[in-house]
Amino acid sequence: MPQVQLNVRLLEMSQHPVALIYAACRQCYSPRFAGELFDEKEEDPKKQAAFIRKVVASGHESPLEHVKFTFAIEGVSRALTHQLVRHRIASFSQQSQRYVKETNFDYVIPPSIEQDASLKAEFLKTMEMIQSSYNRLLEAFNKKGKVGQNANQDVRFVLPQAAETKIVVTMNCRELIHFFHQRCCQRAQWEIKRLGDEMLKICRQKLPEVFVDAGAKCDALGYCPEGEAFSCGKYPLKEKVIGKRK
């Protein structure tokens, strides 16, 4: 039952993403065929990159949906993936606790618990107790002739949200920008913020034309749109910024 660490790996992304977004966007305004525009990808890539930066800055985001990224993610908790799958414009393939036995499950420890010796001791004790209970229940089911998924599907109900899971995630660029707006925020839950930061780092490296200014929405806006009750205080509130402009 070891503690695990976050690991994010880019499995695949759309080929020629700059040319693809460029052709899709130009098709909206050009009488030419998008296929011809796409074939010009080697002629002036700097021009296409500059064009895409302007498109992203203008808020014309629908062409970004044609390019997608697929990530393999491990070392995250079930608590995280319960939040992650709320991003509905995405595809998910998650490790099943019904088909994969958890007779020695790994787990994620929150930093607030990790940094306090007494809290960590209680947390580890709880994980061990849950593991023992899981194994005893599984053994009891096996004695009753219920094996494999038939036993796993019910015994998994005792597993904690801290239990580690693995998941494959695919999102298009537009949804990734929205994901980063929400999950790179200072107020986001610490684990999914850490995931968002790692994914954003990869996206910026692979496609800076789209993601160079991506991140928490307050970073892009220059003010906090969350309102006084929810602001982290990093930026002034929207009302104060708008008031100064009037």
Side-chain angles (χ1 to χ4, degrees), residues 223-242:
Y223 60 82
C224 177
E226 295 286 339
E228 187 171 358
F230 300 106
S231 174
C232 71
K234 181 180 179 182
Y235 286 96
L237 297 176
K238 176 181 179 180
E239 295 80 6
K240 295 182 179 180
V241 173
I242 299 300

Side-chain angles (χ1 to χ4, degrees), residues 11 44 56 70 72 75 85 107 125 147 163 178 187-188 227 230:
L11 296 183
D44 198 345
V56 174
T70 298
V85 297
Y107 49 79
K125 178 182 176 182
V147 297
H178 171 71
R187 294 187 60 254
F230 300 106

Side-chain angles (χ1 to χ4, degrees), residues 151-168:
N152 297 346
Q153 67 184 1
D154 290 340
V155 177
R156 64 180 168 170
F157 275 67
V158 303
L159 293 170
Q161 291 200 72
E164 188 258 358
T165 188
K166 299 174 178 63
I167 190 167
V168 174

Side-chain angles (χ1 to χ4, degrees), residues 118-189:
S118 61
L119 294 179
K120 183 176 180 181
E122 181 64 26
F123 184 93
L124 295 177
K125 178 182 176 182
T126 302
M127 294 299 105
E128 292 174 0
M129 290 172 59
I130 292 173
Q131 183 68 87
S132 296
S133 179
Y134 177 94
N135 292 345
R136 288 195 303 271
L137 284 168
L138 195 62
E139 184 179 354
F141 268 90
N142 289 338
K143 289 180 179 179
K144 294 178 180 294
K146 295 182 179 181
V147 297
Q149 68 185 65
N150 292 326
N152 297 346
Q153 67 184 1
D154 290 340
V155 177
R156 64 180 168 170
F157 275 67
V158 303
L159 293 170
Q161 291 200 72
E164 188 258 358
T165 188
K166 299 174 178 63
I167 190 167
V168 174
V169 179
T170 298
M171 293 184 185
N172 67 51
C173 289
R174 188 178 192 178
E175 178 60 18
L176 280 166
I177 289 174
H178 171 71
F179 175 76
F180 298 142
H181 279 174
Q182 302 297 319
R183 304 303 183 174
C184 292
C185 174
Q186 293 293 331
R187 294 187 60 254
Q189 186 259 354

